[in-house]
Amino acid sequence: MLTKELVAASTVPLVLSVLTEGENYGYALIQRVRELSGGKIEWTEGMLYPVLHWMEKEDLIESEWRDAETGRKRKYYRLRKEGRTALREEKQQWMSVHETLASLWKTSLSLT
Amino acid sequence: MENVSQFDLNTALRQWLEQLGQSPQIKAENLKELESHIRDSVVRLQSKGLSSEESFLIAIRTVGSVGKLEPEFAKVNRSPWNMIIHGVILAFFSAACWILWALLLVPRMFERMLSDPPPVPAFTRLLIGCSPFLAVPPLLALVYCLYALSKKSDVRPSWMRFLAATVGAILLLAFPIIVAVLLHFVEWIYPDPFAGN
């Protein structure tokens, strides 16, 4: 399980990354992240919606209410150009953290 | 035997949404989306063999309590009101500064109205001389408001801070000005018996 802080920091890049696969609605977004993380990333599901609305205000994504195959309406979110740019930046930052930690842990492993 | 208390998903969902909707921070559209989420969640849990009541209870638990959701929605929904209140405070603050400025006109008005005007005390004259600077605090407040507006909505400073700062400033400005005006009255009511002798 991730810490609260890490969940908060990773929500935006996760949402942006899932939306690169195509437009999606809140519930399916959560399922997708759960499935990919093998259940290690568990969101308090309702918390995702304020984040989505914040991302919409920041023009990273856009949304639309549409009829789903179930006959009910669902709110679908789609990536915008600004979102793709933001994702590229996020990617760089997460990769630099990842690479630094990975190289540090490799060295310490070889020493022990 | 059949379950005695019939569970109705629509009723339960409506009650849950009503409870959530009492929070002014959560808008009607937010509720619609959460309803859609719960329904999806219930369908999925039912497909795993749970009853509709069990599914509903698990679905609302995983979505989070009102206490948890409310502050998060408040962060994204508050921004317009926060800025409107900033604007109202700015207007009141400017008006208060103008009133203080107008208060400093009173000694001069007195001088013109009375045939034998009392002398204007030095402290009062000093503040009258400084009165054009009363335009500075409202301008600073305006600059601050523009700075707050330029911030992203989630990190924008709350109007409470602005209110506290402006009330403090008004009290600090009003105190010497009121003293200066009253001093002039004192000169008029209790004139210095040795003056002019």
Side-chain angles (χ1 to χ4, degrees), chain B residues 42-128:
Chain B
V42 166
V43 168
R44 190 184 166 96
L45 289 164
Q46 276 179 318
S47 75
K48 287 181 178 167
L50 294 177
S51 73
S52 65
E53 185 168 10
E54 286 166 331
S55 305
F56 175 72
L57 292 175
I58 293 174
I60 59 167
R61 214 190 57 214
T62 49
V63 100
S65 62
V66 182
K68 250 182 163 175
L69 295 181
E70 198 180 14
E72 298 303 314
F73 276 106
K75 276 188 211 162
V76 281
N77 290 342
R78 97 176 162 191
S79 50
W81 274 110
N82 191 30
M83 280 329 286
I84 291 168
I85 299 173
H86 265 82
V88 172
I89 297 171
L90 177 64
F92 272 100
F93 181 60
S94 307
C97 285
W98 182 81
I99 289 171
L100 289 178
W101 175 81
L103 218 55
L104 284 171
L105 295 179
V106 172
R108 292 278 179 242
M109 266 162 56
F110 251 70
E111 247 180 355
R112 251 173 265 140
M113 274 160 55
L114 299 175
S115 52
D116 181 22
V120 180
F123 183 63
T124 313
R125 273 184 281 135
L126 175 72
L127 287 200
I128 290 172

Side-chain angles (χ1 to χ4, degrees), chain B residues 153-165:
Chain B
S153 59
D154 56 328
V155 288
R156 191 171 287 160
S158 158
W159 57 268
M160 302 270 247
R161 241 169 68 176
F162 185 47
L163 180 67

